[in-house]
C-alpha cells in the first residue's frame, strides 16, 4: 500500500529502542525524513533517520527538538510523542513524589510542550500528532498508578487538541499499545524486573506468564504498533482525528 509520504518530515521521540525505534524505521522506509529524539543514541544508523540526543524531561528541550527538526529539514508534518517512563510500586502509598513527578513530566508534559511547539509548523501545510499512550490509560494498574494516570491525561489532552484544530488541518490521534516486547517491559530495569524486585518471581517467568494470560498469548512486537502509527500519520487516514487506536491483541475487552 502506497502511503503517499512524499517529502514529509517527522519527529519521533523515544526513538532509540522499542516502539519509537520501530516507528522511526517504518516511517523512513516510506520515504519520510525522520528526526529520532532520545536520551541515548540507537545502536546503529538507518538511512533517512537522524538522531538528536535530548532529555525531554527538561522544560525547554521539546521546543528545541522541534526547532532542530525544522532547521534541518525546513518543515514538519508529523510528531510522534512516544517517549515515556514508568516505575512500579507496591501500591499508591509507596509511589513517592519522584515517581509521580517523573511520570507526569516525561509522559505528559514533554508531549504537551512538543505539541505546542509543533503546532505553528503543522498549521503551514497540515499535519499529524500521534500520542502513544497505553492500555493502562483505561485499565489502570495499582502498582503503576502514576504511569497509568499520566497516560490517561495524555489521552485526554490529545482529544482536546484534536477538537481545537480539526478545522485547521491538524489531526491528533492516540495509539494505545498493550503488552509489547520493549525494553520498558523486558529490559534489565524493565517492568518484569521491577515486579521481580517486589518479590513476585524471576523476570523471565513473570514475562512468560504475563504474555500467556493475554488473548494472543504473546507479546506484541514494536513493529506491529509502528504499522498502526504509520497508517494513521499517512494521508490515507486524512479523516481520522480525535480517535484512539487500541493495539493490544484483544487485551482490553469492551462492547
Amino acid at each position: 500500500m502506497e502511503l503517499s509520504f512524499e517529502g514529509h518530515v517527522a519527529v519521533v521521540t523515544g526513538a532509540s529502542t522499542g516502539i519509537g525505534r520501530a516507528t522511526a524505521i517504518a516511517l523512513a522506509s516510506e520515504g519520510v525524513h525522520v528526526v529520532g529524539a532520545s536520551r541515548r543514541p540507537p545502536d546503529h544508523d538507518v538511512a533517512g533517520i537522524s538522531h538528536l540526543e535530548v532529555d525531554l524531561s527538561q522544560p525547554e528541550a521539546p521546543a528545541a527538538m522541534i526547532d532542530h527538526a525544522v532547521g534541518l529539514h525546513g518543515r514538519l508534518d508529523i510528531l510522534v510523542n512516544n517517549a515515556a517512563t514508568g516505575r512500579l510500586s507496591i501500591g499508591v502509598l509507596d509511589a513517592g513524589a519522584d515517581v509521580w513527578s517523573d511520570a507526569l513530566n516525561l509522559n505528559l508534559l514533554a508531549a504537551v510542550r512538543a505539541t505546542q511547539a509543533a503546532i505553528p509548523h503543522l498549521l503551514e501545510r497540515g499535519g499529524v500528532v500521534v500520542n502513544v499512550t497505553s492500555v493502562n490509560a483505561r485499565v489502570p494498574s495499582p502498582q503503576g498508578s502514576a504511569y497509568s494516570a499520566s497516560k490517561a491525561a495524555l489521552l485526554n489532552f490529545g482529544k482536546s487538541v484534536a477538537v481545537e484544530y480539526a478545522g485547521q488541518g491538524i489531526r491528533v490521534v492516540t495509539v494505545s499499545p498493550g503488552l509489547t516486547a520493549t525494553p520498558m517491559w523486558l529490559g534489565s530495569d524493565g517492568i518484569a524486573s521491577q515486579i521481580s524486585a517486589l518479590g513476585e518471581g524471576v523476570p523471565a517467568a513473570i514475562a512468560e506468564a504475563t504474555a500467556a494470560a493475554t488473548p494472543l498469548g504473546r507479546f506484541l512486537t514494536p513493529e506491529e504498533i509502528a504499522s498502526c502509527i504509520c497508517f494513521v500519520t499517512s494521508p490515507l487516514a486524512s479523516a481520522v482525528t480525535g480517535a484512539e487506536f487500541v493495539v493490544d491483541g484483544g487485551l482490553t475487552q469492551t462492547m
Side-chain angles (χ1 to χ4, degrees):
M1 181 181 293
E2 176 56 57
L3 296 182
S4 303
F5 276 125
E6 293 86 0
H8 286 196
V9 173
V11 170
V12 180
T13 70
S16 61
T17 61
I19 293 170
R21 181 65 170 165
T23 299
I25 291 173
L27 288 170
S29 73
E30 294 288 344
V32 179
H33 303 291
V34 180
V35 174
S38 59
R39 293 176 180 175
R40 292 172 293 278
D43 57 10
H44 64 280
D45 294 333
V46 172
I49 305 173
S50 63
H51 176 253
L52 174 66
E53 187 171 338
V54 62
D55 180 359
L56 292 173
S57 68
Q58 300 302 308
E60 303 304 319
M65 172 187 70
I66 298 299
D67 287 345
H68 169 84
V70 174
L72 185 64
H73 294 294
R75 61 187 284 174
L76 180 67
D77 303 277
I78 299 164
L79 170 63
V80 180
N81 288 313
N82 167 75
T85 187
R87 299 295 306 178
L88 297 185
S89 57
I90 296 173
V92 68
L93 295 181
D94 299 286
D98 57 335
V99 172
W100 279 91
S101 177
D102 289 348
L104 291 170
N105 199 28
L106 184 59
N107 301 355
L108 174 63
L109 293 180
V112 170
R113 292 164 180 148
T115 301
Q116 290 173 327
I119 283 173
H121 303 287
L122 298 177
L123 284 170
E124 293 181 11
R125 301 174 184 84
V128 190
V129 177
V130 174
N131 292 321
V132 180
T133 62
S134 166
V135 292
N136 289 124
R138 294 188 181 276
V139 186
S141 165
Q143 294 178 317
S145 54
Y147 177 81
S148 300
S150 67
K151 290 298 190 177
L154 181 58
L155 171 63
N156 190 285
F157 169 73
K159 288 182 176 292
S160 296
V161 179
V163 170
E164 182 175 356
Y165 284 95
Q168 300 178 62
I170 297 177
R171 299 189 293 112
V172 185
V173 182
T174 299
V175 174
S176 297
L179 186 68
T180 309
T182 67
M184 178 174 279
W185 239 101
L186 302 176
S188 60
D189 191 35
I191 294 172
S193 292
Q194 292 178 45
I195 294 173
S196 177
L198 295 175
E200 300 185 24
V202 298
I206 291 167
E208 182 179 355
T210 304
T214 67
L216 285 184
R218 64 172 176 85
F219 278 86
L220 306 180
T221 69
E223 289 74 20
E224 288 173 317
I225 312 303
S227 294
C228 180
I229 295 172
C230 269
F231 171 72
V232 300
T233 57
S234 77
L236 295 184
S238 58
V240 178
T241 192
E244 179 191 9
F245 286 75
V246 180
V247 188
D248 69 351
L251 183 63
T252 308
Q253 298 175 16
T254 61
M255 293 183 62

